[in-house]
Amino acid sequence: MSRLSLFPRTLRARITVVFSLLLLVIAAGVTFAFARQAAQTHFTMQQQLSQKLMQLVEPAIRGMVASYDIAGIDRYMRQIADDPTIASLRIVDENGGSLLYGHEGNTEPLHWYTRALTGASTPPLLLVSDIIVDNSRIGRIEAELSNAPLNQSIRHVVFIGGLLAVVSLAVTLLLVYLLLTRFTAPLQPLMDWAREFAHGNWNPRTKLIESGSREIRELNQAFTQGSATLRHYIQSLEETRELLEYSDTRLRKLVNGMREILFELDANGHLVFLNPAWQELTGFATDDSLGKPFSDFLVDEDTIRDFDPRILPRLHEKNREISLRSIDGKRLWMSLDADAQTDSAGNFTGLIGTLGDVTKSVELNHLLTKYQDELYHLSVTDPLTGLYNRRHFDSQLEIILSDHLPKNLAVCLLLIDLDGFKFINDTYGHPFGDEVLRTTAQLLKQQVRRNDYIARLAGDEFAMVLKNTDIENATRIAQKLHDSINDTRIPLPVGHMQLQSSMGVAEAPTHGTNAQDLVSAADVALYHSKRRGRNRIEVLSPDISRAVMSIFSQGFQLRNALEQGHIHPAFQPICNLRDGEPMAYEVLARMRINGLVIQAKDFITVAEELGLTRYVDLHIIGQALKLTPPEYALFLNVDISSFNDKDFVGELSELLKPACQEGRSITIEITEREALPLSEGLHDDILELRALGCKLALDDFGSGYSTYNFLNQFRPDYLKIEGSFVRGMLRNESDRKIVTHIHELATSFGMRTIAESVENAATERALQEIGINTAQGMFYGAPRMAS
């Protein structure tokens, strides 16, 4: 440190010292060069002068040597010997070898600097000059030069050169220091700025000095700009810090205010972080819970296994329902979102996740499932008799056949129809008629075997499916049931009522390999039972099967009516219950033959049998669009089987496109005469119609083939409640519950309900109490054909 402290601290002092040293080296070099040149010149000249001296002395003393004039030689040579450059001088007689003259002067040796400058490393050579007389050498002169004058001359040169170098160096140092002081003066304010910056003053008041140096000007400009940039950067950092503090505070508030539980687990599955929602929801204190295994608070074993530390690194959950236990032992349902966390090296560090309280939602879903089960039970059973309804019968018969026929097990179908039931209803009233139906259902339950299946298909029509039974055994069972019905007496206020029934029996696979064919065969047998006097059993035989040909004759009549334009649309109003005004009109099919108007229910089955429904639907829709003004909103019935034809939707779209483009309200009403095939093709067809602007309605919901999957997949705009439930809701609480459940179901899906078959004001009021605001039926107007 002491050595460093001796070195100049300031830049200009350091530059001055370095520059001075450089000058000193240069001056020393120049002085040495000049001194060397002067020394060598002096040395050379001295030798030349001595030689010339010898040349001058030899002629002068030649005669003296020849005459052996010692006194003359002495006088002459003494004058020469006084020269300080002569170190020694001798004259020797060559013949006698005697010393004629001798002189010893200053024999000072060459100094080291003289040797360095002259390059002479040995004593000077002896100068010898022969004395010649008559071409004969009679003697010689020997002279040795003195080094003292050379040494003195060299010292003088070095002294003068050194003095000049020192003076030049001093003057140069002064000038350099003054110039550097002037040139580096602008650096002082820059140092002051830097010092102010070091002490945190980002806006120093020191004024920078202008300079003629471009580098200093650029440095001043750089300092000024850098200062402004630094101030801006520091201000930005300060703002960022404040923003981070604000964000941190806000994040803490958000985390602390979250309704969901935010938690973090370490690699061992222990809780290391919990927000306040944990204590609010579970009741466990946050501080007491931290450090404990998360699995301690779980209820279900499968969830506990998933939070094993060995499985945690692979855990990734999204909207998973799990159960936590609360401090009071209650089960809390939570929606879990969690992901495993890793560090930069990919090592598992723990788990971060959230828990949302879905207890109410889960409990509501359980309750909804219960209600849906109840609704499903109501939708597949007949509320009056407790037997399965037509919808369930159709699906189950297909299942039974697909299960038995591949195993070569026969299945028989028995259709039972009560004789004179309309007379019973009209004469004794609906309550008595209901009692008759309940009694008949009870008889079926008593006669049915353990694995057989019974259902109520329509008003007074029942079905019994006899599994693994041939036609002979089925006939015996039918006869036993027939006798039981005939033996039944229902008491009246006066007397009693004896029941009678007509039955038709068909066998699969003999009379059909699918549900439709088997039902048609049993229907034909039942039809012939009625034609032959009722109260009897008919088994489908080859003769009876000829009756099936009547269907084809009806089909010819239907085709002929289509070709001649005898199929016409009829319009029934769909009214708003608030004001009774029509909000739309349902389009129904009617056949007019020889002045007789035939309703759709009397010929649509034939159309379905022969695959003519698509032609009927397209014809009726086209006529309805032509016969009604554009402001009429129309509900257009389309049989579900029509969608089986791949060209049907294209033709239907061509019919509807102009009306939809004009802004006309069109609703496609899907009928449920057969099970809904929820295929991808049907989904695309419905989407195509909706893309035109059409709405969607599901007809007769609650009977036959109602499907919740259809509701969930297609979300129709309207749900039309089966008319039999609407008609019976005033006298039958089960019917009223079904209507209520269907309305609530539709509302939960965002649909509007339309009640069918409203026949009186009391039914209208009952519907309004439930919350249904739209209805149709004879109370609002019968279907009317366009005039």
Side-chain angles (χ1 to χ4, degrees):
M1 294 298 293
S2 61
R3 294 178 61 187
L4 290 177
S5 63
L6 295 177
F7 196 76
R9 296 174 179 267
T10 62
L11 177 61
R12 62 187 175 193
R14 293 183 179 187
I15 294 176
T16 301
V17 171
V18 171
F19 193 70
S20 300
L21 292 176
L22 180 61
L23 287 177
L24 183 60
V25 172
I26 294 173
V30 171
T31 301
F32 177 79
F34 279 119
R36 180 180 178 84
Q37 184 65 33
Q40 290 178 348
T41 301
H42 184 81
F43 183 70
T44 302
M45 290 177 63
Q46 185 178 13
Q47 287 182 340
Q48 292 175 352
L49 289 173
S50 299
Q51 289 177 354
K52 289 180 180 181
L53 179 63
M54 294 292 289
Q55 293 173 1
L56 292 174
V57 169
E58 189 269 334
I61 66 170
R62 182 185 306 160
M64 296 178 188
V65 173
S67 63
Y68 208 76
D69 184 3
I70 299 302
I73 292 173
D74 182 65
R75 287 193 303 269
Y76 183 80
M77 294 305 295
R78 187 175 294 134
Q79 295 176 359
I80 296 174
D82 290 339
D83 191 336
T85 60
I86 302 298
S88 66
L89 187 62
R90 297 175 63 198
I91 299 175
V92 180
D93 181 9
E94 188 70 25
N95 295 322
S98 61
L99 179 66
L100 298 179
Y101 178 80
H103 171 74
E104 292 293 334
N106 187 0
T107 58
E108 180 181 336
L110 286 174
H111 289 174
W112 63 270
Y113 50 82
T114 303
R115 288 197 302 271
L117 292 175
T118 59
S121 58
T122 59
L125 295 176
L126 183 66
L127 297 177
V128 179
S129 179
D130 293 330
I131 302 172
I132 305 297
V133 176
D134 296 330
N135 296 324
S136 175
R137 186 174 68 181
I138 62 174
R140 66 178 183 276
I141 302 172
E142 296 178 357
E144 184 179 353
L145 299 178
S146 175
N147 291 321
L150 181 60
N151 288 338
Q152 183 178 2
S153 177
I154 295 301
R155 282 197 300 271
H156 182 71
V157 170
V158 171
F159 174 77
I160 297 300
L163 181 61
L164 290 175
V166 170
V167 173
S168 300
L169 180 61
V171 173
T172 303
L173 286 177
L174 179 60
L175 291 176
V176 169
Y177 185 80
L178 293 176
L179 289 174
L180 287 176
T181 301
R182 176 175 176 81
F183 293 151
T184 60
L187 296 177
Q188 185 61 41
L190 296 178
M191 290 189 295
D192 294 338
W193 273 45
R195 191 176 298 109
E196 292 287 337
F197 284 169
H199 289 84
N201 182 10
W202 311 119
N203 190 19
R205 299 181 180 274
T206 304
K207 185 177 181 181
L208 297 177
I209 299 175
E210 295 293 334
S211 174
S213 171
R214 180 171 60 85
E215 292 82 357
I216 297 298
R217 288 199 305 270
E218 291 179 355
L219 190 58
N220 285 345
Q221 184 179 3
F223 258 76
T224 304
Q225 294 176 351
S227 174
T229 303
L230 188 59
R231 286 196 298 271
H232 175 72
Y233 178 68
I234 291 172
Q235 183 179 0
S236 299
L237 287 178
E238 185 65 22
E239 292 174 354
T240 303
R241 184 185 62 80
E242 293 177 355
L243 183 60
L244 287 175
E245 290 180 355
Y246 171 75
S247 299
D248 181 67
T249 302
R250 187 180 180 189
L251 180 60
R252 288 180 182 275
K253 290 181 179 179
L254 288 175
V255 170
N256 292 336
M258 285 176 61
R259 297 294 301 167
E260 297 83 9
I261 296 173
L262 179 63
F263 70 95
E264 182 179 1
L265 308 183
D266 61 14
N268 296 319
H270 294 168
L271 290 165
V272 295
F273 175 80
L274 290 167
N275 66 339
W278 170 267
Q279 186 168 342
E280 294 177 8
L281 294 176
T282 66
F284 291 105
T286 302
D287 293 338
D288 295 339
S289 303
L290 294 176
K292 293 182 179 180
F294 182 63
S295 56
D296 288 354
F297 302 94
L298 298 174
V299 177
D300 301 321
E301 289 297 329
D302 58 339
T303 310
I304 294 174
R305 286 194 299 270
D306 290 342
F307 278 86
D308 186 284
R310 293 168 295 182
I311 302 177
L312 280 181
R314 302 188 299 272
L315 191 66
H316 173 76
E317 299 292 351
K318 186 71 175 177
N319 295 331
R320 175 183 177 181
E321 288 186 359
I322 66 170
S323 295
L324 292 181
R325 62 181 179 88
S326 65
I327 195 170
D328 54 5
K330 293 182 179 179
R331 179 190 287 260
L332 300 176
W333 288 99
M334 295 289 175
S335 176
L336 171 66
D337 291 340
D339 286 293
Q341 304 296 307
T342 56
D343 57 19
S344 57
N347 299 318
F348 174 66
T349 59
L351 190 81
I352 294 179
T354 59
L355 293 166
D357 185 11
V358 293
T359 303
K360 292 183 179 179
S361 176
V362 171
E363 291 176 350
L364 182 61
N365 286 336
H366 290 167
L367 186 61
L368 180 60
T369 301
K370 177 183 176 182
Y371 287 154
Q372 287 176 340
D373 292 342
E374 292 178 356
L375 183 59
Y376 173 77
H377 178 74
L378 291 173
S379 67
V380 300
T381 59
D382 172 47
L384 178 64
T385 62
L387 303 180
Y388 288 113
N389 59 18
R390 179 62 184 262
R391 174 184 181 276
H392 194 264
F393 167 78
D394 289 335
S395 62
Q396 284 301 115
L397 180 58
E398 198 68 62
I399 293 173
I400 292 171
L401 292 177
S402 62
D403 180 58
H404 283 66
L405 297 186
K407 301 175 183 177
N408 295 321
L409 300 177
V411 176
C412 287
L413 174 63
L414 174 60
L415 294 183
I416 305 103
D417 190 89
L418 294 178
D419 296 334
F421 183 72
K422 186 177 184 302
F423 172 79
I424 295 173
N425 262 343
D426 295 343
T427 304
Y428 302 105
H430 288 291
F432 185 77
D434 293 344
E435 181 61 29
V436 170
L437 295 175
R438 282 192 290 267
T439 300
T440 304
Q442 191 61 34
L443 293 174
L444 289 173
K445 292 177 182 178
Q446 293 172 359
Q447 297 297 327
V448 72
R449 299 177 303 179
R450 184 168 59 90
N451 292 326
D452 292 338
Y453 177 89
I454 54 177
R456 180 191 176 193
L457 303 184
D460 61 339
E461 187 176 354
F462 298 86
M464 178 180 289
V465 180
L466 305 173
K467 302 176 184 178
N468 194 19
T469 303
D470 57 21
I471 195 72
E472 290 79 10
N473 287 326
T475 304
R476 286 194 292 270
I477 293 172
Q479 188 61 55
K480 184 177 179 181
L481 177 60
H482 186 266
D483 293 342
S484 177
I485 293 175
N486 284 348
D487 291 342
T488 300
R489 304 290 187 271
I490 299 178
L492 292 169
V494 177
H496 60 268
M497 168 67 69
Q498 180 181 355
L499 299 182
Q500 294 183 348
S501 63
S502 298
M503 301 184 183
V505 183
E507 179 191 35
T510 303
H511 300 125
T513 58
N514 56 54
Q516 183 176 348
D517 292 345
L518 186 61
V519 171
S520 297
D523 237 347
V524 171
L526 178 61
Y527 171 73
H528 281 274
S529 174
K530 288 180 176 293
R531 288 188 61 184
R532 292 182 178 181
R534 302 179 184 275
N535 197 27
R536 55 185 292 121
I537 301 171
E538 287 289 348
V539 178
L540 190 65
S541 64
D543 293 335
I544 295 178
S545 64
R546 295 191 193 97
V548 178
M549 293 302 296
S550 64
I551 295 176
F552 293 95
S553 65
Q554 295 177 49
F556 173 81
Q557 188 179 41
L558 178 60
R559 286 192 183 92
N560 190 49
L562 281 171
E563 293 173 359
Q564 298 182 8
H566 292 162
I567 304 293
H568 304 282
F571 304 89
Q572 185 176 29
I574 301 174
C575 296
N576 191 318
L577 300 188
R578 294 189 180 92
D579 53 18
E581 293 297 322
M583 53 83 67
Y585 292 85
E586 181 180 4
V587 179
L588 304 169
R590 295 290 185 265
M591 186 190 309
R592 180 178 286 170
I593 300 178
N594 300 324
L596 180 67
V597 176
I598 303 174
Q599 296 184 11
K601 65 183 180 66
D602 296 325
F603 63 85
I604 200 64
T605 302
V606 176
E608 291 174 353
E609 290 283 345
L610 303 178
L612 298 176
T613 53
R614 66 182 300 271
Y615 301 103
V616 174
D617 290 341
L618 291 173
H619 176 78
I620 291 297
I621 290 171
Q623 292 297 312
L625 293 174
K626 292 179 182 179
L627 296 175
T628 55
E631 62 267 21
Y632 272 40
L634 299 180
F635 275 60
L636 305 176
N637 283 286
V638 176
D639 194 279
I640 195 70
S641 63
S642 298
F643 288 92
N644 294 329
D645 190 323
K646 62 180 181 179
D647 298 326
F648 172 75
V649 172
E651 297 177 15
L652 178 60
S653 298
E654 289 298 319
L655 278 176
L656 298 179
K657 189 175 182 179
C660 292
Q661 289 177 343
E662 294 174 2
R664 189 166 193 175
S665 177
I666 302 293
T667 300
I668 303 299
E669 188 171 324
I670 304 294
T671 58
E672 290 191 285
R673 283 186 288 273
E674 65 183 61
L676 300 175
L678 302 183
S679 63
E680 186 174 348
L682 176 61
H683 185 271
D684 294 339
D685 292 340
I686 297 292
L687 288 180
E688 182 177 344
L689 293 174
R690 279 188 152 165
L692 292 175
C694 298
K695 297 179 181 178
L696 184 66
L698 185 60
D699 192 23
D700 297 330
F701 187 84
S703 68
Y705 300 90
S706 301
T707 167
Y708 293 96
N709 194 19
F710 184 94
L711 297 184
N712 186 46
Q713 185 171 347
F714 295 102
R715 300 297 175 96
D717 303 277
Y718 300 95
L719 203 61
K720 301 185 77 172
I721 303 174
E722 162 63 17
S724 62
F725 300 134
V726 177
R727 287 192 301 270
M729 62 183 293
L730 295 180
R731 63 179 183 274
N732 193 314
E733 185 60 24
S734 296
D735 287 343
R736 184 184 181 92
K737 286 183 178 180
I738 290 176
V739 173
T740 302
H741 280 304
I742 292 175
H743 174 67
E744 292 175 350
L745 178 65
T747 302
S748 68
F749 277 86
M751 310 171 197
R752 294 178 61 183
T753 49
I754 300 175
E756 298 182 307
S757 303
V758 178
E759 299 176 351
N760 49 59
T763 303
E764 182 186 67
R765 288 192 297 271
L767 292 172
Q768 289 177 322
E769 291 174 0
I770 293 174
I772 299 174
N773 298 318
T774 313
Q776 67 182 111
M778 300 301 290
F779 182 68
Y780 305 104
R784 294 181 180 272
M785 298 173 60
S787 57

